[in-house]
Amino acid sequence: MVRLSLAFALSCGLTVAVAASSAEDRSIVLATTTATQESGLLDYLLPIFRDKTGVEVTVIARRSAEVLDGARRGEADVVLMHARPQEEKFVTDGFGVKRFDVMYNDYVLIGPKNDPAAVKGKDIATALKAIEAKGAPFVTRGDRSGTHAAELALWIVAGIDIAGAKGAWYRESGPGMIAALDSARTTNAYVLSDRASWIAFKDRRDLDIVVEGDKRLLNQYGVMLVNPEKHPNVKKELGQTFIDWLISPEGQAAIAGYKVDGQQVFFPNADKSGG
């Protein structure tokens, strides 16, 4: 009888321990970019996801290159970012299982309201050519982020070798979109920003959007599960649950519902076939 009681107690204790462990394990790590985090979107989305599934999401926000470097080391379960060529290589190299489109917004060229390079309303290539020709101050993040990669690609589109053409007018701000916008504000400079960060930036003062709407300014976001075959610690089921929710009608509606100052800043466009 004593043995049965002891066995029962041990069994109950084990059951409780397993249940507690299971509850503790209902969490994932999401690696994303600083621009995504600074937009406020995740602060809005993740509580909705947690209430729906009981899964907690811990966010690690870094520059795009650092996001993928960390994911290659198995430091995250899911990656959400906006640098498609790098994302596709991440999957092709076997570090990600599958890439899905999630949403998009766009980049905008921000500049002084007095527009010293006279670029307002021009297409992005023409605007960058004028900025370079006049040596008008331009702030670059220079931080290997998705926005920095997009900026460098746009200089190429404009036919400018920025590595050779840059001078004192081309100024590096360092990490973070908000820091770059603030640097542009204090130096009366132009800067490329994602629209969400621009809307979230409160201290605009003499800055304004000078170029927008060019199709080359599209900013596409993708989500990927880190490959558990590379890193067995990856929480495959819970990570996929998060991805499935993001690309579901409910998750897409939640993305569309996020607004800053009454403005929608992300537009859902999930492609469930993956990429």
Side-chain angles (χ1 to χ4, degrees):
M1 186 67 172
V2 174
R3 285 185 179 179
L4 285 175
S5 297
L6 180 59
F8 179 72
L10 288 172
S11 174
C12 288
L14 180 60
T15 301
V16 170
V18 170
S21 175
S22 177
E24 290 171 4
D25 286 344
R26 290 191 65 76
S27 64
I28 60 171
V29 175
L30 172 67
T32 192
T33 62
T34 54
T36 312
Q37 177 75 335
E38 289 174 350
S39 73
L41 175 69
L42 296 177
D43 291 334
Y44 172 80
L45 283 184
L46 298 185
I48 299 174
F49 173 69
R50 181 194 61 221
D51 292 346
K52 173 76 174 180
T53 65
V55 178
E56 293 280 354
V57 181
T58 299
V59 177
I60 298 175
R62 297 170 173 165
R63 297 169 289 183
S64 291
E66 293 174 343
V67 168
L68 293 179
D69 287 345
R72 288 187 183 95
R73 295 190 295 267
E75 295 174 0
D77 302 295
V78 178
V79 173
L80 174 66
M81 56 187 295
H82 56 117
R84 186 165 193 150
Q86 293 95 313
E87 295 163 34
E88 291 175 342
K89 186 176 189 307
F90 182 78
V91 173
T92 299
D93 291 346
F95 291 99
V97 175
K98 197 173 188 179
R99 181 194 173 281
F100 296 87
D101 282 342
V102 176
M103 60 191 182
Y104 69 93
N105 60 11
D106 62 346
Y107 291 108
V108 288
L109 184 65
I110 305 300
K113 287 184 178 178
N114 64 352
D115 191 19
V119 301
K120 191 171 181 64
K122 305 288 176 57
D123 66 78
I124 189 62
T126 301
L128 292 177
K129 287 176 184 176
I131 290 169
E132 187 272 335
K134 295 185 179 182
F138 185 97
V139 170
T140 177
R141 285 178 57 171
D143 61 359
R144 300 173 65 216
S145 63
T147 302
H148 182 219
E151 178 223 311
L152 294 179
L154 289 170
W155 286 113
I156 293 172
V157 168
I160 296 170
D161 174 13
I162 193 61
K166 65 183 180 182
W169 60 275
Y170 189 74
R171 306 163 182 175
E172 186 173 312
S173 70
M177 194 65 248
I178 298 302
L181 285 164
D182 193 56
S183 178
R185 178 188 63 79
T186 58
T187 60
N188 208 42
Y190 294 91
V191 63
L192 185 74
S193 172
D194 65 286
R195 189 181 293 270
S197 295
W198 167 246
I199 292 172
F201 184 60
K202 302 302 181 184
D203 197 9
R204 299 175 188 175
R205 300 196 187 182
D206 295 326
L207 294 178
D208 203 356
I209 295 175
V210 292
V211 177
E212 62 182 327
D214 190 314
K215 64 182 181 180
R216 292 168 291 192
L217 294 173
L218 177 70
N219 184 27
Q220 178 68 52
Y221 283 74
V223 66
M224 303 163 287
L225 180 72
V226 177
N227 193 345
E229 293 183 5
K230 291 275 189 182
H231 299 287
N233 61 296
V234 169
K235 295 177 182 175
K236 178 180 178 181
E237 291 77 14
L238 295 181
Q240 192 62 50
T241 295
F242 178 63
I243 292 171
D244 290 344
W245 181 79
L246 272 184
I247 65 177
S248 73
E250 181 180 350
Q252 295 281 280
I255 290 168
Y258 176 61
K259 296 181 179 180
V260 177
D261 293 339
Q263 300 180 62
Q264 183 176 344
V265 290
F266 292 98
F267 298 86
N269 67 339
D271 175 5
K272 294 180 179 59
S273 65

